[in-house]
Amino acid sequence: TIEGIDATLASLSAGARQLPFAIARALTVTAHAVNAEVKRELSTNIQGGPTSYTLRAFKVHAATVAAPTANVELRTDAPEGGTPYDQSIAHLFHGGVRRFKRLEGLLREQGLIPAGMQIAPGGKLPIDRRGNPKLNDLKEMLGILGSGIRNLQSYRRSGRSKATKALGFFVVLPWSVAARRLHIGIWRRIQSGQGSVIEPWFMFVSPPPYQQRFDLDKTARTVVQAVWQKNFADSLAKALATAQ
């Protein structure tokens, strides 16, 4: 004689009905755990720390009962006025050649960079702690280069003496006379009462190959092995507790 068989069978039937909901939730929670670990690795292994742009680069597609698959993937959209995430940093996760940045596209539209070439920081380019050029400097450079007025300059007081200096930019292209003595790229010229100096800001280079920096598959497998069983057990318990 088995006592309580009806209640047991009813419980099992409820569990079977709730199982798809538990699976979808567990998959989604696990995907978010993978995404969090990717952000942690970026924060740990990028010199100076990742930008908020980089930390927003991945998104989670939640699983559903109808489609029990959760994805963590590099976004293909872009912030307003920015470069699409997959174009900017995909090479860190897959290796290969970096895709062209928005700044390179702007220079190409104005004929200021040879076709097929990319930019690399010059020795005098002001950069932040993450190794990125400062936005105000880029705006000033693009404003002068994009004016169409030859030898346009901006003026400011700088240095200990607060002397007025004239700042200008010029481009050295492969077929120009200046390329005989200067590396092709974008140079800044500073003129003051003491004379004139030039500084390398962006050098034009052929797209270099990049090695894979982050193994997303390995990260995902490690996280899934660590948290899947607990996430599924918790999700099943919640699903059974809320069964209609």
Side-chain angles (χ1 to χ4, degrees), residues 5-61:
I5 187 64
D6 292 339
T8 300
L9 291 175
S11 175
L12 292 174
S13 177
R17 291 194 301 272
Q18 293 301 98
L19 190 58
F21 298 97
I23 291 174
R25 181 184 183 278
L27 287 170
T28 300
V29 171
T30 301
H32 280 287
V34 171
N35 191 36
E37 178 61 18
V38 170
K39 290 182 179 180
R40 189 197 68 78
E41 291 188 1
L42 292 173
S43 299
T44 301
N45 297 305
I46 291 182
Q47 183 178 0
T51 63
S52 56
Y53 168 93
T54 300
L55 292 177
R56 293 193 301 267
F58 284 86
K59 64 179 178 181
V60 173
H61 284 289

Side-chain angles (χ1 to χ4, degrees), residues 2-200:
I2 301 177
E3 296 182 357
I5 187 64
D6 292 339
T8 300
L9 291 175
S11 175
L12 292 174
S13 177
R17 291 194 301 272
Q18 293 301 98
L19 190 58
F21 298 97
I23 291 174
R25 181 184 183 278
L27 287 170
T28 300
V29 171
T30 301
H32 280 287
V34 171
N35 191 36
E37 178 61 18
V38 170
K39 290 182 179 180
R40 189 197 68 78
E41 291 188 1
L42 292 173
S43 299
T44 301
N45 297 305
I46 291 182
Q47 183 178 0
T51 63
S52 56
Y53 168 93
T54 300
L55 292 177
R56 293 193 301 267
F58 284 86
K59 64 179 178 181
V60 173
H61 284 289
T64 65
V65 171
T69 300
N71 296 324
V72 182
E73 59 187 43
L74 187 61
R75 293 166 58 174
T76 58
D77 60 331
E80 184 177 358
T83 303
Y85 297 98
D86 61 324
Q87 291 187 22
S88 181
I89 63 173
H91 59 282
L92 298 177
F93 308 98
H94 307 300
V97 175
R98 171 178 67 77
R99 297 178 68 179
F100 292 100
K101 296 183 177 181
R102 182 171 179 266
L103 175 57
E104 291 162 337
L106 294 174
L107 294 173
R108 189 165 293 105
E109 289 174 2
Q110 299 179 41
L112 299 177
I113 185 173
M117 301 197 80
Q118 295 180 344
I119 54 175
K124 291 294 184 177
L125 175 69
I127 57 176
D128 60 23
R129 64 184 180 86
R130 299 184 177 96
N132 296 318
K134 298 178 180 179
L135 182 58
N136 287 339
D137 291 328
L138 289 181
K139 288 181 177 179
E140 182 178 54
M141 182 191 78
L142 291 173
I144 292 176
L145 292 177
S147 69
I149 303 174
R150 186 176 178 83
N151 295 326
L152 180 69
Q153 298 173 327
S154 65
Y155 295 85
R156 73 169 70 133
R157 296 182 182 274
S158 62
R160 292 183 179 179
S161 64
K162 298 300 180 182
T164 301
K165 296 180 180 180
L167 307 177
F169 291 88
F170 64 95
V171 179
V172 178
L173 295 169
W175 49 86
S176 64
V177 175
R180 298 174 185 174
R181 57 187 179 86
L182 297 175
H183 193 289
I184 57 174
I186 300 174
W187 294 72
R188 184 170 76 159
R189 178 185 288 110
I190 305 175
Q191 292 180 302
S192 65
Q194 286 72 43
S196 175
V197 296
I198 59 174
E199 298 177 339

